[in-house]
Amino acid sequence: MLAFTAEAPAVHRLALFLAALFAFPALAQDWPKARAIHIVVGFPPASTTDLVARLVGPKLQETLAQSVVVENKPGASGNLAAQQVKRAAADGYTLLATSVAYAVNPSLYANAGYDPLTDFVPVILAPSTPNIITVNPSVPAKNLRELVALAKNEKLSYASSGIGTTTHLSIERIKMAAGIDITHVPYSPAAAVGAVVAGHAPIGSTSMPPAVSHVKAGRIRAIAVTSAQRSPALPDVPTVNEQGFSGFDDLTWIGFFAPAGTPQDLVNRINAEVSRALSAPEVQEKLAQLGLEWKANTSGEFAAFLRGEVVKWTKAVKDSGARAD
C-alpha cells in the first residue's frame, strides 16, 4: 500500500506518485502470468451460468497459456459467490460469473451482502436469453391473450425457476398488468420445465435453455417470450409485447464481474479475452443450441445496462411483494 505523508521529501512524494501511476498498467501487462485465474460461479454445475463459464474457461486457458479454474459456489441465488469474490484481491485473478439474480437480489433479500453498483466492476455482459412462457398441451390456450382469458375463469398455477427469479417476476408483471391471479409454484429451472411436461403445473415460466428441446419436441407449447424481439431459437413464438402488453424486455442474462478497485485497463483486457472466447465459432454454435444470444460489449456498456436492470428489478420486486428471506 502506497502512503503519502507530509514529512516525506518532495522528491520521494513524486517517486511514490509515479509508482502509483504506472503500477496499474504494469498489472494489466503482466496478467495472467502470476497464477491461475479463478472463475467463481454463483450457481450449481449444469446451470446456464455454469455452462457458459465452462465454455469460456477452456478458451481463456488456451489463449492465455494459464490455468483457468471454474469453481461452483451455489447458495442464496448467487449471493454466496458474490460475497466471496467481493472480498478477493482486485488483481484480475478472481472473477465472478453470475446471472441477472445479481441485479435482483439486493432488493429481494434483507441482506444480500453486496451492493451491485459499487462492490464490483462489470467486466462483460455474456449471453442472455428471454424467459419463455409455456403450457402443457392439455391447456387449451394457444397464445397469451387466451391464457389470460382462461385465468380469469379458472384457478391456474404456474411453475417458475424460483422465488425472485426473473422467470417469477416476469409472470408477476403480466399478472398485475392483466388483473389476473395465478398461483406461483417455485421449482429449480429444469424441474419447472419437467413439471409442465408432466402436467403437474399447467403453466411454466423459465429461461430458454431447459425448455427449447421440449418445445421443439411438442412436449410443451410455447405461448410467449419476454424479450423485446423474438428469439432466433424459436422464431415462431411471439413476444409478450406483441400480444397486448408493452415495455417487456425481461432477460435472463449472465455477466462476468471483478472486485471493486480492479484497474480499468485490466478490466478491458479481461473483457477482450472473454469476448474472444465467446466469439469462437464452436462456442457460438453451442450457445445457439441452448437458445442463448450474445453480442460484443464493453465494460462501460455493461455498466450502463446494469444500472437499468437494477432499477427495473427493484421496482418489480417491490410491486410483487416478493421476498426470499
Side-chain angles (χ1 to χ4, degrees):
M1 177 70 70
L2 295 172
F4 294 88
T5 64
E7 292 79 12
V11 66
H12 289 171
R13 294 200 300 273
L14 178 60
L16 287 169
F17 171 77
L18 292 174
L21 182 65
F22 291 107
F24 287 168
L27 180 60
Q29 291 167 10
D30 291 341
W31 183 90
K33 297 177 183 177
R35 59 187 182 279
I37 300 163
H38 286 253
I39 300 175
V40 181
V41 178
F43 299 91
S47 63
T48 304
T49 306
D50 177 73
L51 293 173
V52 170
R54 292 183 188 278
L55 287 172
V56 169
K59 287 296 180 183
L60 290 180
Q61 186 164 295
E62 179 183 315
T63 58
L64 297 173
Q66 179 59 275
S67 296
V68 177
V69 179
V70 177
E71 56 182 89
N72 298 89
K73 181 76 172 181
S77 193
N79 288 347
L80 296 186
Q83 292 163 15
Q84 176 180 322
V85 177
K86 172 186 170 181
R87 298 189 296 267
D91 56 10
Y93 288 96
T94 305
L95 303 173
L96 172 67
T98 191
S99 76
V100 62
Y102 174 92
V104 177
N105 288 352
S107 58
L108 183 69
Y109 286 79
N111 182 19
Y114 67 93
D115 185 308
L117 300 179
T118 61
D119 286 333
F120 295 87
V121 180
V123 175
I124 189 168
L125 178 62
S128 63
T129 173
N131 296 326
I132 183 168
I133 301 168
T134 60
V135 295
N136 181 273
S138 65
V139 175
K142 300 295 191 297
N143 55 53
L144 189 56
R145 289 178 184 273
E146 291 181 3
L147 187 62
V148 167
L150 188 66
K152 289 182 177 180
N153 294 299
E154 295 185 21
K155 186 68 175 176
L156 299 175
S157 63
Y158 74 94
S160 83
S161 301
I163 295 173
T165 61
T166 60
T167 62
H168 168 210
L169 296 175
S170 288
I171 289 281
E172 292 300 311
R173 293 180 69 203
I174 292 171
K175 284 168 54 178
M176 286 184 283
I180 57 176
D181 182 27
I182 306 175
T183 302
H184 177 222
V185 183
Y187 288 82
S188 68
V193 174
V196 182
V197 171
H200 301 315
I203 305 166
S205 179
T206 67
S207 62
M208 293 279 282
V212 169
S213 63
H214 293 286
V215 171
K216 290 182 176 179
R219 289 186 285 269
I220 53 178
R221 182 188 310 122
I223 293 292
V225 292
T226 61
S227 49
Q229 289 82 36
R230 296 190 182 195
S231 169
L234 294 170
D236 294 332
V237 180
T239 67
V240 171
N241 295 337
E242 291 178 82
Q243 300 186 71
F245 297 86
S246 62
F248 275 79
D249 192 12
D250 296 355
L251 304 174
T252 293
W253 51 260
I254 296 155
F256 287 80
F257 295 83
T262 304
Q264 190 60 49
D265 63 328
L266 179 54
V267 170
N268 294 342
R269 170 80 192 283
I270 300 170
N271 174 286
E273 296 297 345
V274 175
S275 183
R276 190 200 312 273
L278 290 170
S279 298
E282 60 272 29
V283 173
Q284 284 287 300
E285 181 180 357
K286 182 62 176 177
L287 295 177
Q289 291 172 357
L290 293 170
L292 293 166
E293 303 171 49
W294 179 76
K295 63 179 180 179
N297 59 95
T298 66
S299 169
E301 289 169 338
F302 184 22
F305 171 80
L306 177 64
R307 288 191 291 272
E309 287 290 282
V310 170
V311 170
K312 176 174 72 177
W313 293 118
T314 297
K315 183 178 187 303
V317 169
K318 180 180 179 181
D319 290 348
S320 69
R323 297 301 300 174
D325 53 8

